[in-house]
Amino acid sequence: MTFVTRALALMFALFSLTVSAETTLPQLRVAVLQSGTVNWELQYILDQKLDQAHGFKLEMIKVASLPAAKLALTSGGADMMVSDWLWAGKRNNAGETLRFIPFSSQIGSVLVPTDSAVKTLQDLRGKKIGVAGGPMNKSWVLLQAAAKAEGIDLQKEASIQFAAPPLLSQALKRGQVDVLATFWHFGARLEAEGFKPLVSMQQLMHELGMKSSLPILGYLFHAQLTEQSPDAVAGFAAAVAEAKQRLAVDEAGWNAIRPLMNAESDEIFTALKVKYLEGTPERISEQQIEDAKRFFSLIDSLDPNPTGEKLDPVVFYRAEL
């Protein structure tokens, strides 16, 4: 056997071992919105091969909407999807066994034009408030609760308009709404364009009795997955944590995923990056669990027909990373 032949044989053997190792890794399928912020993190994990380094193979399943992602999870078409633990807690109270790995502690934004006459919650009376998504928008929930604590019923004393985030961003720019409660990445774009927060969401949470920086969005999956592939789930949590740590310093990594961010300018790109990093969640603590219980009860109290449901903290996946 010639040297060249031996070298080719060795290269083929190494390639075969690599392919074999990859194909034997357990697969985790994550349903994600086609233009969602979760894509940034998961694409970085794939680019850096953090999934393989942590013992699993990641597959991103692109879907058109949040309901489609939820359907993929509940029907078995995906192993994970991203939503909030509030939805998961309600599903669990109805008999499911969903678990939650934090993605972000960003809650959302409540914004006004720079020259707005709205300075405090008391100024919201009689104003037009745009709410992105629907009544369960978390920044809207906090705004209602904080206003209620000051004796203001925004449902009765303000004009509320629910719509898709892009439509409401345009409505705020055109002066068709006075205040906008929107999702964090839409808020980041508007701040880069000169709009300002009316109030900090973390400040509202603290005023309402919550003491920690509480993660809201996270990767949801059924508890059976931890029984079937415990190492893969632990590896996924570790890969997510490592991706966040790296992205805090990896400018080249951000440049690689910039096309996914649809940032029209350097200012918007920077604002999105900064807000993503500000939302890096801490490891789940007992204080956060207590705050989550309070938040869950707070939302129920705002419902016209409160159920009295409580949050079961088992929803929070707490494996050691």
Side-chain angles (χ1 to χ4, degrees), residues 201-252:
M201 293 297 98
Q202 291 297 334
Q203 177 187 337
L204 289 188
M205 290 182 70
H206 292 164
E207 290 176 359
L208 292 167
M210 288 162 271
K211 302 176 182 179
S212 63
S213 177
L214 186 62
I216 296 294
L217 293 173
Y219 298 94
L220 301 182
F221 57 96
H222 289 100
Q224 294 91 319
L225 188 62
T226 61
E227 299 165 5
Q228 297 163 358
S229 300
D231 292 341
V233 174
F236 179 83
V240 165
E242 183 174 348
K244 292 180 186 297
Q245 291 171 356
R246 289 194 183 194
L247 282 168
V249 295
D250 187 357
E251 290 300 322

Side-chain angles (χ1 to χ4, degrees), residues 213-289:
S213 177
L214 186 62
I216 296 294
L217 293 173
Y219 298 94
L220 301 182
F221 57 96
H222 289 100
Q224 294 91 319
L225 188 62
T226 61
E227 299 165 5
Q228 297 163 358
S229 300
D231 292 341
V233 174
F236 179 83
V240 165
E242 183 174 348
K244 292 180 186 297
Q245 291 171 356
R246 289 194 183 194
L247 282 168
V249 295
D250 187 357
E251 290 300 322
W254 277 108
N255 288 331
I257 60 178
R258 179 169 178 167
L260 299 175
M261 300 168 68
N262 298 315
E264 299 88 346
S265 66
D266 289 341
E267 291 76 15
I268 290 177
F269 170 66
T270 299
L272 290 170
K273 181 174 66 173
V274 168
K275 290 294 185 181
Y276 166 87
L277 293 174
E278 286 178 355
T280 300
E282 303 169 357
R283 186 175 299 185
I284 294 294
S285 66
E286 293 302 324
Q287 181 61 58
Q288 286 175 318
I289 287 177

Side-chain angles (χ1 to χ4, degrees), residues 169-226:
S169 292
Q170 291 303 315
L172 184 66
K173 293 176 184 180
R174 294 169 183 158
Q176 296 167 327
V177 296
D178 303 302
V179 182
L180 174 58
T182 192
F183 304 141
W184 72 266
H185 47 299
F186 286 95
R189 290 174 180 275
L190 288 167
E191 285 189 54
E193 295 177 22
F195 293 86
K196 66 179 183 180
L198 172 63
V199 65
S200 158
M201 293 297 98
Q202 291 297 334
Q203 177 187 337
L204 289 188
M205 290 182 70
H206 292 164
E207 290 176 359
L208 292 167
M210 288 162 271
K211 302 176 182 179
S212 63
S213 177
L214 186 62
I216 296 294
L217 293 173
Y219 298 94
L220 301 182
F221 57 96
H222 289 100
Q224 294 91 319
L225 188 62
T226 61

